[in-house]
């Protein structure tokens, strides 16, 4: 039993309809070790300076979130989410459950998805999926998620 939500995560995806995830979640196969990563971009600080340089007020827009992961491409594999030269037209939801499913993960209900193919002689072919979070039908863009019934 872990204290931290680290280790080998389970990453699942489903098509998002009007900002609401569907019910048929599918798990990504064989994720390359250490590639599942959530990046948070803090909103850029906006300041209202007065003459002399003192700040009268400041504000920050909301954070932006991006989840990325890489998959090994093995003989006979098909892309989990199909694309047209890297472009994926539909929006998808994605959720991450830590190795210890009792620890808190997260879910993004609506995201633009892209894919990049790469190849090295050391690792073979890989697919890197990126989920850029966008405003869902309800609630926050990044929501806590814990698998129930563990």
């Amino acid at each position: 039993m872990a204290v931290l939500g680290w280790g080998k995560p389970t990453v699942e995806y489903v098509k998002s309809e009007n900002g609401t995830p569907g019910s048929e979640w599918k798990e990504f196969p064989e994720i390359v070790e250490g590639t599942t990563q959530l990046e948070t971009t803090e909103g850029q600080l906006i300041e209202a300076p007065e003459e002399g340089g003192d700040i009268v007020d400041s504000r920050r827009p909301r954070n932006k979130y991006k989840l990325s992961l890489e998959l090994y491409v093995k003989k006979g594999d098909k892309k989990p989410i199909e694309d047209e030269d890297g472009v994926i037209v539909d929006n998808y939801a994605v959720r991450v459950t830590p190795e210890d499913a009792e620890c808190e993960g997260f879910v993004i209900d609506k995201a633009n998805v892209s894919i990049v193919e790469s190849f090295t002689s050391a690792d073979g072919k890989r697919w890197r999926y990126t989920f850029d979070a966008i405003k869902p039908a309800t609630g926050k863009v990044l929501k806590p998620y814990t698998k129930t019934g563990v």
Side-chain angles (χ1 to χ4, degrees):
M1 173 148 299
V3 174
L4 300 177
W6 58 3
K8 180 183 177 181
T10 299
V11 183
E12 299 167 292
Y13 64 95
V14 67
K15 202 176 274 191
S16 182
E17 299 293 336
N18 301 317
T20 303
S23 58
E24 300 288 324
W25 291 89
K26 297 176 187 170
E27 186 176 341
F28 277 109
E30 290 92 17
I31 298 170
V32 177
E33 184 175 14
T35 64
T36 304
Q37 182 175 353
L38 175 68
E39 295 178 48
T40 302
T41 304
E42 187 176 29
Q44 185 175 358
L45 181 65
I46 301 168
E47 298 178 326
E50 69 177 357
E51 290 293 340
D54 289 332
I55 304 300
V56 176
D57 200 359
S58 67
R59 66 181 176 92
R60 230 179 245 285
R62 294 177 185 209
N63 292 342
K64 295 177 183 174
Y65 304 97
K66 175 171 57 174
L67 176 75
S68 59
L69 56 92
E70 289 188 27
L71 304 176
Y72 288 111
V73 181
K74 300 173 309 310
K75 249 185 231 181
D77 278 355
K78 294 188 187 302
K79 291 179 184 171
I81 303 173
E82 283 296 327
D83 69 301
E84 189 63 45
D85 293 324
V87 176
I88 296 170
V89 177
D90 296 314
N91 291 314
Y92 281 79
V94 62
R95 67 184 180 196
V96 176
T97 305
E99 186 172 312
D100 182 339
E102 292 180 9
C103 291
E104 184 177 280
F106 59 88
V107 62
I108 296 171
D109 285 346
K110 185 179 179 184
N112 287 322
V113 186
S114 62
I115 182 175
V116 174
E117 295 189 37
S118 64
F119 173 86
T120 66
S121 58
D123 297 322
K125 188 173 183 179
R126 292 183 181 187
W127 293 318
R128 185 184 73 215
Y129 282 94
T130 302
F131 293 80
D132 291 295
I134 53 181
K135 185 178 179 180
T138 61
K140 296 180 178 183
V141 173
L142 183 71
K143 298 173 180 153
Y145 171 76
T146 305
K147 190 172 185 175
T148 56
V150 182

